[in-house]
């Protein structure tokens, strides 16, 4: 690999890998790590170009991040793990589970989307405008280039055809907030497209793991411990 991930690690037991969202880092899961580490060996990663993990030279895309995750698992001798991804982290986990179903035990997708059409227009339209502006100035400013890459993840990725969800073998929890930036019908579409998928909609917005942590953690742990 051309990068080494920064990550936080705590607990013992089955591996549980946490993947944060766009422009964030592993600290997003500050309200999950301690609690989940009572039952699992938790790894919270900083994605390529986020937090303390370097950008590297490879493409800045959800599919590359999924390959990075495979590299991380191989580097740490993790044959199979539970995956919990939020927002773009959910998209990484989803793509990974499609590509490497044998490496995923249980899958939790929080605020994930198949494509940009799954995001509410009030959120997506400003993102696309910002992306076009940043892309225009990317050749003149490194800051604009980095901004274009970040926004590009929300414009061009993950672009997963609904049919590909059928390749996910893991028992999957799709969870979102009642006022999420992802359209509820889109979240329901993802849950229904995964063969062993189940859906939970709880109080809150896109950031339920942080702002409604008690309810979120309860749902996730109940799912992971279920038969």
């Amino acid at each position: 690999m051309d990068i080494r991930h920064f990550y936080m690690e705590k607990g013992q037991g089955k591996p549980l890998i946490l993947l944060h969202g766009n422009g964030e880092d592993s600290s997003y899961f500050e309200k999950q790590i301690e609690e989940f580490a009572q039952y699992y060996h938790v790894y919270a990663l900083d994605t390529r170009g986020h937090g303390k993990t370097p950008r590297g030279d490879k493409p800045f895309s959800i599919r590359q991040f999924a390959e990075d995750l495979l590299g991380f698992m191989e580097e740490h001798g993790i044959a199979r793990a539970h995956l919990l991804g939020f927002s773009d982290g959910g998209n990484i986990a989803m793509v990974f589970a499609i590509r490497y179903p044998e490496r995923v035990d249980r899958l939790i997708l929080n605020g994930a989307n198949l494509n940009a059409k799954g995001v509410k227009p009030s959120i997506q339209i400003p993102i696309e405008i910002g992306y076009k502006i940043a892309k225009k100035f990317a050749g003149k400013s490194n800051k604009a280039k980095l901004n274009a890459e970040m926004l590009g993840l929300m414009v061009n990725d993950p672009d997963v055809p609904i049919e590909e969800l059928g390749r996910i073998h893991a028992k999957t929890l799709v969870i979102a907030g009642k006022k999420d930036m992802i359209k509820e019908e889109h979240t329901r579409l993802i849950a229904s497209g995964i063969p062993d998928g189940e859906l939970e909609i709880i109080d809150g917005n896109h950031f339920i793991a942080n702002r409604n942590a008690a309810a979120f953690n309860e749902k996730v742990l109940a799912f992971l411990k279920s038969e």
Side-chain angles (χ1 to χ4, degrees), residues 158-223:
D159 197 24
V160 173
I162 184 69
E163 298 79 15
E164 289 194 5
L165 294 179
R167 293 161 57 186
I168 296 176
H169 297 170
K171 186 173 182 178
T172 303
L173 172 64
V174 177
I175 184 168
K178 290 180 179 178
K179 297 181 179 179
D180 209 292
M181 61 181 263
I182 306 299
K183 299 172 185 175
E184 185 171 322
E185 62 266 30
H186 190 81
T187 298
R188 291 183 179 276
L189 180 68
I190 292 172
S192 65
I194 297 172
D196 197 3
E198 57 187 77
L199 176 69
E200 289 282 357
I201 305 289
I202 67 174
D203 288 337
N205 57 18
H206 193 53
F207 304 96
I208 50 175
N210 185 267
R211 298 178 185 174
N212 191 6
F216 178 83
N217 292 358
E218 181 182 0
K219 295 293 186 184
V220 169
L221 287 173
F223 169 73

Coordinates of all heavy atoms in Angstrom, one line a residue, residues 158-223:
P158 N -21.0 6.7 -4.6 CA -20.3 5.5 -5.0 C -20.8 4.9 -6.3 O -20.2 4.1 -6.9 CB -20.6 4.6 -3.9 CG -22.0 5.0 -3.4 CD -22.0 6.5 -3.6
D159 N -22.0 5.4 -6.8 CA -22.6 5.0 -8.1 C -22.7 3.4 -8.2 O -22.1 2.8 -9.0 CB -21.7 5.5 -9.3 CG -22.5 5.4 -10.6 OD1 -23.7 5.4 -10.6 OD2 -21.8 5.4 -11.6
V160 N -23.4 2.9 -7.2 CA -23.6 1.4 -7.1 C -24.9 1.0 -7.7 O -26.0 1.5 -7.2 CB -23.5 1.0 -5.6 CG1 -23.9 -0.5 -5.5 CG2 -22.1 1.2 -5.0
P161 N -25.0 0.2 -8.7 CA -26.2 -0.3 -9.3 C -27.0 -1.1 -8.2 O -26.4 -1.9 -7.5 CB -25.8 -1.2 -10.4 CG -24.4 -0.7 -10.8 CD -23.8 -0.3 -9.5
I162 N -28.3 -0.9 -8.1 CA -29.1 -1.6 -7.1 C -28.9 -3.1 -7.2 O -28.9 -3.8 -6.2 CB -30.6 -1.2 -7.3 CG1 -31.4 -1.8 -6.2 CG2 -31.1 -1.5 -8.6 CD1 -31.2 -1.3 -4.8
E163 N -28.7 -3.6 -8.4 CA -28.6 -5.1 -8.6 C -27.3 -5.6 -7.8 O -27.3 -6.8 -7.4 CB -28.4 -5.4 -10.1 CG -29.7 -5.1 -10.9 CD -29.7 -3.6 -11.3 OE1 -28.7 -2.9 -11.1 OE2 -30.8 -3.1 -11.7
E164 N -26.3 -4.8 -7.6 CA -25.1 -5.3 -7.0 C -25.3 -5.6 -5.5 O -24.5 -6.3 -4.9 CB -23.9 -4.3 -7.2 CG -23.4 -4.2 -8.6 CD -22.1 -3.5 -8.8 OE1 -21.5 -3.1 -7.7 OE2 -21.6 -3.3 -9.9
L165 N -26.3 -5.0 -4.9 CA -26.6 -5.2 -3.5 C -26.9 -6.7 -3.2 O -26.6 -7.2 -2.1 CB -27.7 -4.4 -3.0 CG -27.5 -2.9 -3.0 CD1 -28.8 -2.2 -2.5 CD2 -26.3 -2.5 -2.1
G166 N -27.3 -7.4 -4.2 CA -27.6 -8.8 -4.1 C -26.4 -9.7 -3.9 O -26.5 -10.8 -3.5
R167 N -25.2 -9.1 -4.1 CA -23.9 -9.8 -3.9 C -23.4 -9.7 -2.4 O -22.4 -10.3 -2.1 CB -22.9 -9.2 -4.8 CG -23.2 -9.6 -6.3 CD -22.4 -8.7 -7.3 NE -21.0 -8.8 -7.1 CZ -20.1 -8.0 -7.7 NH1 -20.5 -7.1 -8.6 NH2 -18.8 -8.1 -7.5
I168 N -24.2 -8.9 -1.6 CA -23.8 -8.8 -0.2 C -24.4 -10.0 0.6 O -25.6 -10.3 0.6 CB -24.3 -7.5 0.4 CG1 -23.7 -6.3 -0.2 CG2 -24.1 -7.5 1.9 CD1 -24.2 -5.0 0.2
H169 N -23.5 -10.8 1.2 CA -23.9 -12.0 1.9 C -24.1 -11.8 3.4 O -24.8 -12.5 4.0 CB -22.8 -13.1 1.8 CG -22.5 -13.5 0.4 ND1 -21.5 -14.3 0.0 CD2 -23.2 -13.3 -0.8 CE1 -21.5 -14.6 -1.3 NE2 -22.5 -14.0 -1.8
A170 N -23.6 -10.7 3.9 CA -23.6 -10.4 5.3 C -25.0 -10.0 5.8 O -25.8 -9.4 5.0 CB -22.7 -9.3 5.7
K171 N -25.4 -10.5 7.0 CA -26.6 -9.9 7.6 C -26.3 -8.4 7.8 O -25.3 -8.0 8.3 CB -26.8 -10.6 9.0 CG -28.1 -10.2 9.6 CD -28.4 -11.0 10.8 CE -29.8 -10.6 11.5 NZ -30.1 -11.5 12.6
T172 N -27.3 -7.6 7.4 CA -27.0 -6.2 7.3 C -28.1 -5.3 8.0 O -29.3 -5.6 7.9 CB -26.9 -5.7 5.8 OG1 -25.9 -6.5 5.2 CG2 -26.6 -4.2 5.7
L173 N -27.6 -4.4 8.8 CA -28.5 -3.4 9.4 C -28.3 -2.1 8.6 O -27.2 -1.5 8.6 CB -28.2 -3.1 10.9 CG -28.9 -2.0 11.6 CD1 -30.4 -2.3 11.6 CD2 -28.4 -1.7 13.0
V174 N -29.4 -1.6 8.1 CA -29.4 -0.2 7.4 C -30.1 0.7 8.4 O -31.3 0.5 8.7 CB -30.1 -0.3 6.1 CG1 -30.2 1.1 5.4 CG2 -29.5 -1.3 5.1
I175 N -29.4 1.7 8.9 CA -30.0 2.6 9.9 C -29.8 4.1 9.5 O -28.7 4.4 9.0 CB -29.3 2.3 11.3 CG1 -30.0 3.1 12.4 CG2 -27.8 2.4 11.2 CD1 -29.6 2.6 13.8
A176 N -30.8 4.9 9.8 CA -30.7 6.3 9.4 C -31.6 7.1 10.3 O -32.4 6.5 11.1 CB -31.2 6.5 8.0
G177 N -31.5 8.4 10.3 CA -32.3 9.3 11.1 C -33.6 9.6 10.4 O -33.7 9.7 9.1
K178 N -34.6 10.0 11.1 CA -35.9 10.4 10.6 C -35.8 11.6 9.7 O -36.6 11.8 8.8 CB -36.9 10.6 11.7 CG -37.4 9.3 12.4 CD -38.4 9.6 13.5 CE -38.9 8.3 14.1 NZ -39.8 8.5 15.2
K179 N -34.8 12.5 10.0 CA -34.6 13.7 9.3 C -33.2 13.7 8.6 O -32.6 14.7 8.4 CB -34.7 14.9 10.2 CG -36.1 15.1 10.9 CD -36.1 16.3 11.8 CE -37.5 16.5 12.4 NZ -37.6 17.7 13.3
D180 N -32.9 12.5 8.1 CA -31.6 12.3 7.4 C -31.5 13.1 6.1 O -32.5 13.4 5.5 CB -31.4 10.8 7.1 CG -29.9 10.4 7.1 OD1 -29.2 10.8 6.2 OD2 -29.5 9.7 8.0
M181 N -30.3 13.4 5.7 CA -30.1 14.1 4.4 C -30.3 13.1 3.3 O -30.4 13.5 2.1 CB -28.7 14.7 4.3 CG -27.6 13.8 4.5 SD -26.0 14.6 4.4 CE -25.5 14.4 2.7
I182 N -30.2 11.8 3.6 CA -30.5 10.8 2.6 C -32.0 10.6 2.6 O -32.7 10.4 3.6 CB -29.8 9.4 2.9 CG1 -28.3 9.6 3.1 CG2 -30.1 8.4 1.8 CD1 -27.6 10.2 1.9
K183 N -32.6 10.5 1.4 CA -34.1 10.4 1.2 C -34.5 9.0 1.9 O -33.8 8.0 1.7 CB -34.5 10.3 -0.2 CG -34.1 11.6 -1.0 CD -34.4 11.4 -2.5 CE -34.0 12.6 -3.3 NZ -34.1 12.3 -4.8
E184 N -35.6 9.0 2.6 CA -36.0 7.8 3.3 C -36.3 6.7 2.3 O -36.0 5.5 2.6 CB -37.2 8.1 4.2 CG -37.5 6.8 5.0 CD -38.6 7.1 6.1 OE1 -38.6 8.2 6.7 OE2 -39.4 6.2 6.3
E185 N -36.9 7.0 1.2 CA -37.2 6.0 0.2 C -36.0 5.4 -0.3 O -35.9 4.2 -0.7 CB -38.1 6.5 -0.9 CG -37.5 7.6 -1.7 CD -37.9 9.0 -1.3 OE1 -38.1 9.2 0.0 OE2 -37.9 10.0 -2.1
H186 N -34.9 6.1 -0.4 CA -33.6 5.6 -0.9 C -33.0 4.7 0.1 O -32.5 3.6 -0.2 CB -32.6 6.8 -1.2 CG -31.4 6.4 -1.9 ND1 -31.4 6.2 -3.3 CD2 -30.1 6.1 -1.4 CE1 -30.1 5.9 -3.6 NE2 -29.4 5.8 -2.5
T187 N -33.1 5.0 1.4 CA -32.6 4.2 2.5 C -33.4 2.9 2.5 O -32.8 1.8 2.6 CB -32.7 4.9 3.8 OG1 -31.9 6.1 3.8 CG2 -32.3 4.0 5.0
R188 N -34.7 3.0 2.3 CA -35.5 1.8 2.3 C -35.1 0.9 1.1 O -35.2 -0.4 1.1 CB -37.0 2.1 2.3 CG -37.5 2.7 3.6 CD -38.9 3.1 3.6 NE -39.4 3.6 4.8 CZ -39.7 2.9 5.9 NH1 -39.6 1.6 5.8 NH2 -40.0 3.5 7.1
L189 N -34.8 1.5 -0.1 CA -34.4 0.8 -1.3 C -33.2 0.0 -1.0 O -33.1 -1.2 -1.4 CB -34.2 1.8 -2.4 CG -33.8 1.2 -3.8 CD1 -34.9 0.4 -4.4 CD2 -33.3 2.3 -4.7
I190 N -32.2 0.6 -0.3 CA -31.0 -0.1 0.0 C -31.3 -1.4 0.9 O -30.8 -2.5 0.6 CB -29.9 0.8 0.7 CG1 -29.5 1.9 -0.3 CG2 -28.8 0.0 1.2 CD1 -28.6 3.0 0.3
A191 N -32.0 -1.1 1.9 CA -32.4 -2.2 2.9 C -33.1 -3.4 2.1 O -32.8 -4.6 2.4 CB -33.2 -1.7 4.0
S192 N -34.0 -3.0 1.2 CA -34.8 -4.1 0.5 C -33.9 -4.8 -0.5 O -34.2 -5.9 -0.9 CB -36.0 -3.5 -0.1 OG -35.7 -2.5 -1.1
G193 N -32.9 -4.1 -1.0 CA -32.0 -4.7 -2.0 C -31.0 -5.7 -1.5 O -30.4 -6.4 -2.3
I194 N -30.7 -5.7 -0.2 CA -29.7 -6.6 0.4 C -30.5 -7.8 0.9 O -31.5 -7.7 1.6 CB -29.0 -5.9 1.6 CG1 -28.2 -4.7 1.1 CG2 -28.1 -6.9 2.3 CD1 -27.7 -3.8 2.1
P195 N -30.0 -9.0 0.4 CA -30.8 -10.2 0.7 C -31.1 -10.5 2.2 O -32.2 -10.9 2.5 CB -29.8 -11.3 0.2 CG -29.1 -10.7 -0.9 CD -28.9 -9.3 -0.4
D196 N -30.2 -10.2 3.1 CA -30.5 -10.3 4.5 C -30.4 -9.0 5.2 O -29.7 -8.8 6.2 CB -29.4 -11.3 5.1 CG -29.9 -11.9 6.5 OD1 -31.0 -11.5 6.9 OD2 -29.1 -12.6 7.1
G197 N -31.1 -8.0 4.7 CA -31.1 -6.7 5.2 C -32.2 -6.3 6.1 O -33.3 -6.8 5.9
E198 N -32.0 -5.5 7.1 CA -33.1 -5.0 7.9 C -32.9 -3.5 8.1 O -31.8 -3.0 8.0 CB -33.2 -5.8 9.3 CG -31.9 -5.7 10.1 CD -32.0 -6.6 11.3 OE1 -31.9 -7.8 11.2 OE2 -32.2 -6.0 12.4
L199 N -34.0 -2.9 8.4 CA -34.1 -1.4 8.5 C -34.4 -0.9 9.8 O -35.3 -1.4 10.5 CB -35.1 -0.9 7.4 CG -35.3 0.6 7.3 CD1 -34.1 1.3 6.8 CD2 -36.5 0.9 6.5
E200 N -33.8 0.2 10.2 CA -34.1 0.9 11.5 C -34.1 2.4 11.1 O -33.0 2.9 10.6 CB -33.2 0.6 12.6 CG -33.3 -0.7 13.2 CD -34.5 -0.9 14.1 OE1 -35.2 0.1 14.4 OE2 -34.7 -2.0 14.7
I201 N -35.2 3.1 11.4 CA -35.2 4.6 11.3 C -35.4 5.1 12.7 O -36.4 4.8 13.3 CB -36.3 5.1 10.4 CG1 -36.2 4.4 9.0 CG2 -36.3 6.6 10.2 CD1 -35.1 4.9 8.1
I202 N -34.5 5.9 13.2 CA -34.6 6.4 14.6 C -34.6 8.0 14.6 O -34.3 8.6 13.6 CB -33.5 5.9 15.5 CG1 -32.1 6.5 15.0 CG2 -33.4 4.4 15.5 CD1 -30.9 6.1 16.0
D203 N -35.0 8.5 15.7 CA -35.0 10.0 15.8 C -33.7 10.6 15.5 O -32.6 10.1 16.0 CB -35.5 10.4 17.2 CG -36.9 10.1 17.5 OD1 -37.7 10.0 16.5 OD2 -37.3 10.0 18.7
G204 N -33.7 11.7 14.8 CA -32.4 12.4 14.6 C -32.2 12.7 13.1 O -33.1 12.4 12.2
N205 N -31.1 13.3 12.8 CA -30.7 13.6 11.4 C -29.7 12.7 10.9 O -29.6 11.5 11.3 CB -30.3 15.1 11.3 CG -29.1 15.5 12.2 OD1 -28.4 14.6 12.7 ND2 -28.9 16.7 12.5
H206 N -28.8 13.2 10.0 CA -27.8 12.3 9.4 C -26.8 11.8 10.4 O -26.2 10.8 10.3 CB -27.1 13.1 8.3 CG -26.2 12.4 7.4 ND1 -26.6 11.3 6.7 CD2 -24.9 12.5 7.0 CE1 -25.7 10.8 6.0 NE2 -24.6 11.5 6.1
F207 N -26.6 12.6 11.5 CA -25.5 12.4 12.5 C -26.0 11.7 13.7 O -25.6 12.0 14.9 CB -24.8 13.7 12.8 CG -24.3 14.4 11.6 CD1 -25.1 15.4 11.0 CD2 -23.1 14.1 11.0 CE1 -24.6 16.1 9.8 CE2 -22.6 14.7 9.8 CZ -23.4 15.7 9.3
I208 N -26.8 10.7 13.6 CA -27.4 10.0 14.7 C -26.4 9.3 15.7 O -26.6 9.3 16.9 CB -28.5 9.0 14.3 CG1 -28.0 8.0 13.2 CG2 -29.8 9.7 13.8 CD1 -28.9 6.9 12.8
A209 N -25.3 8.8 15.1 CA -24.3 8.2 16.0 C -23.7 9.2 17.0 O -23.3 8.8 18.1 CB -23.2 7.6 15.1
N210 N -23.7 10.4 16.6 CA -23.1 11.4 17.5 C -24.2 12.1 18.3 O -24.0 12.4 19.5 CB -22.4 12.5 16.6 CG -21.7 13.5 17.5 OD1 -22.2 14.6 17.7 ND2 -20.4 13.2 17.9
R211 N -25.4 12.4 17.7 CA -26.4 13.2 18.3 C -27.5 12.4 19.0 O -28.3 13.0 19.8 CB -26.9 14.2 17.3 CG -25.8 15.2 16.8 CD -26.3 16.1 15.8 NE -25.2 16.9 15.3 CZ -25.3 17.8 14.3 NH1 -26.5 18.0 13.7 NH2 -24.3 18.5 13.8
N212 N -27.6 11.2 18.7 CA -28.6 10.3 19.4 C -27.8 9.0 19.7 O -28.3 7.9 19.3 CB -29.8 10.1 18.5 CG -30.9 9.4 19.3 OD1 -30.8 9.2 20.5 ND2 -32.0 9.0 18.6
A213 N -26.7 9.1 20.3 CA -25.8 8.0 20.5 C -26.4 6.8 21.3 O -26.2 5.6 21.0 CB -24.5 8.4 21.2
A214 N -27.2 7.1 22.3 CA -27.8 6.1 23.1 C -28.7 5.2 22.3 O -28.5 3.9 22.4 CB -28.5 6.7 24.3
A215 N -29.5 5.7 21.5 CA -30.5 4.9 20.7 C -29.7 4.2 19.6 O -29.9 3.0 19.3 CB -31.5 5.8 20.1
F216 N -28.7 4.9 19.0 CA -27.9 4.3 17.9 C -27.1 3.1 18.4 O -27.2 2.0 17.8 CB -27.0 5.4 17.3 CG -26.1 4.9 16.2 CD1 -26.5 4.8 14.9 CD2 -24.8 4.5 16.5 CE1 -25.7 4.3 13.9 CE2 -24.0 4.0 15.5 CZ -24.4 3.9 14.2
N217 N -26.4 3.3 19.5 CA -25.6 2.2 20.1 C -26.5 1.0 20.5 O -26.1 -0.1 20.3 CB -24.8 2.7 21.3 CG -23.8 3.8 20.9 OD1 -23.6 4.1 19.7 ND2 -23.1 4.3 21.9
E218 N -27.6 1.3 21.1 CA -28.5 0.2 21.5 C -29.0 -0.6 20.3 O -28.9 -1.9 20.3 CB -29.8 0.8 22.1 CG -30.8 -0.3 22.6 CD -32.0 0.4 23.3 OE1 -32.1 1.6 23.3 OE2 -32.9 -0.4 23.7
K219 N -29.3 0.0 19.2 CA -29.7 -0.7 17.9 C -28.6 -1.5 17.4 O -28.8 -2.6 16.9 CB -30.3 0.3 16.9 CG -31.6 1.0 17.3 CD -32.7 0.1 17.4 CE -34.0 0.9 17.7 NZ -35.2 0.0 17.9
V220 N -27.4 -0.9 17.3 CA -26.3 -1.5 16.7 C -25.8 -2.8 17.5 O -25.6 -3.8 17.0 CB -25.1 -0.6 16.5 CG1 -23.8 -1.3 16.2 CG2 -25.4 0.5 15.5
L221 N -25.7 -2.6 18.8 CA -25.3 -3.7 19.7 C -26.3 -4.8 19.7 O -26.0 -6.0 19.6 CB -25.1 -3.2 21.1 CG -23.8 -2.4 21.3 CD1 -23.7 -1.8 22.7 CD2 -22.5 -3.2 21.0
A222 N -27.6 -4.5 19.7 CA -28.7 -5.5 19.6 C -28.5 -6.3 18.3 O -28.7 -7.6 18.3 CB -30.0 -4.9 19.7
F223 N -28.3 -5.6 17.2 CA -28.1 -6.3 15.9 C -26.9 -7.2 15.9 O -26.9 -8.3 15.5 CB -28.0 -5.2 14.8 CG -27.5 -5.7 13.5 CD1 -28.4 -6.5 12.7 CD2 -26.2 -5.5 13.0 CE1 -28.0 -7.0 11.5 CE2 -25.8 -6.0 11.8 CZ -26.7 -6.7 11.0

